Structure formats: structure tokens, C-alpha cells
Amino acid sequence: MSWNRRTFLRSLSTTALVLTLEDVLALASPFSPPGQMNNGQIGSRPTYNTQPRSAPKAPSPIAGTPLGVTFLDVAKQAGLNAKTIYGGEHKNKYLLETTGCGVAFYDFDHDDWIDIFLINGSRLEGFPKGQEPVSHLFKNNRDGTFTDITLQAGLARSGWGQGCCVGDYDNDGWDDLFVSYYGQNVLYRNNGNGTFTDVTAKAGLTQSKTRWNSGCAFLDYNRDGHLDLFVANYIDFDIKTAPLPEAAGCAYKGIQVACGPPGLEGGKNILYRNNGDGTFTDVSQKSGIWDTIGTYGLSVAVCDYDNDGWPDIYVANDSTAATLYQNQKDGTFKDVAIEAGVAYSPDGKPQAGMGVSIGDFNRDGLFDIVKTNFAGDTDSLYLNLGDGTFEDRTYLSGLGVNTRYLGWGVGFFDMDNDGWLDILISNGHVYPEVDGKAVDAPYAEHKYLYRNLRNGQFEEVTAQGGPGINALVPARGCAFGDYDNDGDIDVVVNCVNSLPQLLRCDSTTGRNWIKIRTVGTKSNRTGIGARISITTVTNGKPFVQIDEVRSGGSYYSQNDLRLHFGLDHATKADAVEIRWPSGTIDKLTNLDANHLYIIQEGGKILKTMSMGSGKTQ
């Protein structure tokens, strides 16, 4: 057996040797350059000597060609006029003021025009009664504009909002909304008439202590047809006892900043089992969710990474090892992040993970992972090898060229409908104090846009992405979906102490696409966990793409639940296969391009919509 970092780390999981995290890190990277990590003091993040390396040259027919798409910020003209309030605008006392909020593309009324839910935050000094910031629900008017219906929908809640996720927890045919908070989370039951009811207490989700809840996702981990709920937790934080920067000496590159997370007690992630009667039971401890090395959980992504038919959970952790909960198929999970190769950087160091997305970027039928990290480090790209392990392809893929900006929301998405997944990363510094200082990056930052070169590599095309990509904003959560139903993927971005962005994708490629919305019967009604494969045949050669219906993801956000597949110039999907969580497999053939298909478990097409015209059949 060849002896390298991965085989060493995997060996640790199969022996009785007990090592501290510091022991593991020291032993795992005997070749690490000096001065890579700070000393772990409060108020610092891990920093690395990550000099950009040139990706190996490989032929690509599209490298350097015109992009064919541009992104314009149309938030103002679309009516997204609600400013997100989150912490102090120029100085933060506590880490609580830095994380920001997520956003959802959420078709709450099932008219197949996705609406937008924007989470809001607060400030330490509070607000006069009746003037508190609240989250906002914007209804899609089907003409490129939105109307704020927050009050009539019953969603006007204030507080330190964090993340959101969507799923039909009670299988009544209407997708419900869960919002995580620093404090008490909220489960909103969708009443099906444009209104929501807070059922948190009734559902058994009231928490006995103040928690810093973060990313979330609905999933059917035990495949009983009812959606369970996973909620990551960041820090056990109490303002009354939290250290102040000036007292604790917390600094970033010589600038006094909020303390943490190193030096603060990490939070415990939570798994709630759906009882099938509208209530949940906390099974966090007995399911093994607490048995992990990593803590400081932020974003969550669910997928069946090992193709065994059971959903697994990946958590991006800040300043510690990431977590990969492998489903043991018996109601329990095991953290296999270290042996799987997705816990650390290529040189065996913990990273300050923020956002995460799942996708099959090289079209080999296996789900890969992209994760955003803190400034001074690269973002991470993990290639699924198909044997339960991943290989870090950050540098080989071309993502290692950028180390300056701090990534949050992220998504694999096919921006140009060529059938190959591209990547967008939303950036923004965590400390407003860096503005006006001689440091490496500003507080407001532009995004990164990477085009898939179809050969395992990505080309950074940020400069070609249009003004929506290059505008400097303090971004946090972002979500992906086709809000104007024109056949290309748009992006909504929640920003800190600023108006949101709505990045409309305008395409000149002329390529085709297909969308699928799932409706479960034996499986959960939303179809979360269903895996869809789309096959097109060109010149006798099959071209296969896969994706899964997911709740949660990116950074604290929810993407459109309708799965979108670019078809290039194919005029139909020759074969569509849906593997449902129940085990049912549906196969359909010859579905026309440029249509949305609502498919019920069992293979019945409930509705077809020609998206460009909005005409249903």
C-alpha cells in the first residue's frame, strides 16, 4: 500500500489509537511549509501559505471563447426593496454580527414561478417596538417583478435570522419553510392559501436553551416517507459572557475585530426525526450526530455521495475539520470526513469552511463537493473517486488561483446550458473594520465565476460575467433558480447591511434545457432525495447528467427545488430516470426540450409547461 496523507488519515479511523486534533494535524503534514497556521488564538482564523499554482495545461475547445451569458443585477427594478440589517455597519463587537443571512428561491404557491424569501437580522442595540427588521417574502408577479406579501403571509418575524430550508414535512402537498435563528428556530406550515402558521411548539421544535442555529436541511434519513430535519450549530454563544475584542486582544492582521470562533465553545448539531404525525423528536445524540471531531458548523449539504441509496450529510465547519456524516442505514450516522479525504486542506490543515454545494462536475455519475473558505485560503473542490473517498482537485482544476477573497454562498450550476456544471461563489469579508485599512481585501467584494472546460478544469471568467458578478457587495447567502422562466439560471444574493442582488442571467447561447419537479407518493411529497438522470444522444453517443432534489445548501440558503439540466443543442431528453427514496424507479423517454415536467412517483406526468411562453399542457 502506498503511504501518503490519505492512507495515513484513513488508518487512524481503523485503529484504537487516540490522538488529539493537534496531534493529527501535526502528524498528517510533516511537509507543511513553516508559518502556515496562526497559534489558534481567539479572534483569528487559520491562515496558510497557499501561493497560487498553475493548473496543468490541457486542451479545451472552449477556453478563452466568449462566455455567451451575462449577469445583470435587476433587484431594484424587480421590486426587491428590503434592506437586510445585520450587526454594526462599520464595527462589530461580537462574532454574532458577522455571519449574515441566507435566502430562498421558494415556490410557496406551486404556480411554478419561484418566489423569494429573504432572511433578515438585527443589531445589538435593538430597535423601537414595531420598527424591528423582519424577513420578507416576495411573490413572483410573472413579469420580472415581485410583490412583498410578508405581512399577509404571516412571516414578519424579527431576530437574528440565519438560514432557511424548504420541504413538505407533513406531506399535505404544500412545501413548508424552516428558518434557523440565533435563539429560537421557526417552522412555518404552509396553509396552501398564501398564508403560513408558526407550528414550532406544536411540532416539538422548541429549544430549551439559546442556540446559535445555522445551516439546515430537510431529508428523509430513514426513508420512511416523512421528512426529517438537520440543523447545524455554530457556537455556544452568550452575549453576557462573550469576550470583547479590546479585552481579549482579538485581532486580524493587526486590526481589532470580534473574537472567535477559536477559543469559544462549539455548538452541537441537531437531528430531528419526523414522527409522521406533525411532530419531531430530537435524536441527535443516539443517532451519532454528536460523535464528530469538527464543530463550528455553518452550511449543510445532503446527498447520497456513496450511491448506496441513503442520504448522507456534509457540514462546512469554521476553523475545524469538516464533517461528513455517512448514513449507516440503521438510524445512525458516522463521521467519515477524515478517511474520505474531505475534512482538511490538501496539506492536512483545518479550513474555515463557509458554504457548500454538491454536483457531478465531470459527469462520471458521482457527486463532487465544492466548499468556500476564509480569506487567505483557496476554496476547495473535492472529486468523488467512487470508492468512498475524494481527491482534492482545488489546484488541478484551476480553483486554486484565487486566495484573496472570503467565500460564502456557492453553487454548481449550468450557466450556459452546455450540460457541464459551472461554479459561482459569492464573496464578502467578515470584518467591516478592514475597510480603509492596508490589508489584502475590502469588506465588499466581487464574485468568482468559473466556467467548466469539460476536461476536469475550470476557467475563471469573472471579468466576463457582467456587472452583476463584478459589483462589490458584502455578500452572504445566495440561491440558484430560474425566476423568470426563460430557461437559464439566475441567482439571488443576500447581502449584509445592504439591499439584495437579483442576478438575471441573459444568454445568447441558443442552447436547450429541461426542468423536472418531483411529486412523491410513497416517498416524501416534495421528492427530496430523488435522484434524476437525464440522457441525450448525440452522434450515437449517450450524454448522461445526474442531480438530486435537495433541501438547503449554498450558504444558509435554498435553491429552486425544480432540477434544471442544460441539453446543449439536443432537442429532447432521450431518457429520464428517477430513483425515488422509496426505491421506486421511474423511466420516461423522449421528453421535449425547453419544458418543465411535473412528474409524480409512479411515472405519471402531472403537468407540462412550455417555459418560454408559460403555457401549460
Side-chain angles (χ1 to χ4, degrees), residues 55 60 270 286 557:
S60 170
I270 307 171
K286 71 177 183 179
S557 296

Side-chain angles (χ1 to χ4, degrees), residues 528-540:
I528 288 171
R531 177 176 296 200
I532 300 177
S533 67
I534 301 285
T535 302
T536 55
V537 179
T538 303
N539 298 324

Side-chain angles (χ1 to χ4, degrees), residues 364-573:
D364 65 352
L366 302 167
F367 286 117
D368 312 302
I369 300 172
V370 61
K371 176 170 67 78
T372 59
N373 295 308
F374 199 78
D377 192 4
T378 67
D379 297 307
S380 300
L381 181 67
Y382 298 108
L383 176 71
N384 193 331
L385 301 180
D387 60 358
T389 70
F390 293 76
E391 183 173 282
D392 192 309
R393 288 291 183 93
T394 304
Y395 290 105
L396 290 176
S397 68
L399 263 65
V401 299
N402 288 310
T403 62
R404 186 182 180 204
Y405 286 170
L406 195 162
W408 299 90
V410 58
F412 279 119
F413 76 126
D414 186 359
M415 65 178 168
D416 50 8
N417 283 332
D418 67 349
W420 296 82
L421 294 177
D422 311 294
I423 297 173
L424 181 143
I425 295 173
S426 290
N427 299 308
H429 212 287
V430 72
Y431 304 125
E433 293 88 351
V434 301
D435 269 348
K437 307 293 194 305
V439 295
D440 54 354
Y443 187 60
E445 300 174 346
H446 65 67
K447 294 166 183 58
Y448 290 145
L449 185 63
Y450 298 97
R451 171 167 57 182
N452 194 324
L453 295 181
R454 313 176 192 173
N455 60 0
Q457 294 179 297
F458 290 85
E459 174 188 18
E460 191 196 342
V461 290
T462 302
Q464 302 176 47
I469 299 296
N470 288 279
L472 302 181
V473 298
R476 293 297 186 265
C478 69
F480 298 79
D482 183 4
Y483 82 90
D484 51 2
N485 282 346
D486 65 350
D488 46 42
I489 300 297
D490 312 298
V491 187
V492 60
V493 185
N494 206 345
C495 302
V496 177
N497 291 315
S498 179
L499 292 171
Q501 289 183 300
L502 180 59
L503 306 183
R504 188 186 69 205
C505 180
D506 293 338
S507 175
T508 59
T509 65
R511 296 189 178 115
N512 298 320
W513 45 270
I514 194 170
K515 292 185 195 294
I516 307 290
R517 177 160 69 84
T518 53
V519 179
T521 53
K522 294 179 182 177
S523 304
N524 67 87
R525 191 69 172 267
T526 310
I528 288 171
R531 177 176 296 200
I532 300 177
S533 67
I534 301 285
T535 302
T536 55
V537 179
T538 303
N539 298 324
K541 184 178 180 180
F543 183 100
V544 182
Q545 303 174 64
I546 65 168
D547 204 353
E548 285 182 353
V549 183
R550 294 187 188 89
S551 173
S554 183
Y555 175 77
Y556 284 9
S557 296
Q558 173 69 59
N559 298 326
D560 185 1
L561 286 166
R562 306 174 302 178
L563 296 190
H564 177 104
F565 299 88
L567 300 182
D568 202 4
H569 294 293
T571 58
K572 64 179 178 179

Side-chain angles (χ1 to χ4, degrees), residues 3 8 26-27 85 88 107 133 135 142 184 223 226 228 318 350 355 361 394-395 399 436 451 477 586 613:
W3 195 253
F8 169 78
L27 290 170
I85 303 298
D107 183 16
S135 299
R142 311 185 190 185
Q184 176 59 56
R223 291 175 46 180
H226 301 282
D228 312 296
D318 188 358
F361 79 88
T394 304
Y395 290 105
L399 263 65
R451 171 167 57 182
D586 291 331
S613 65

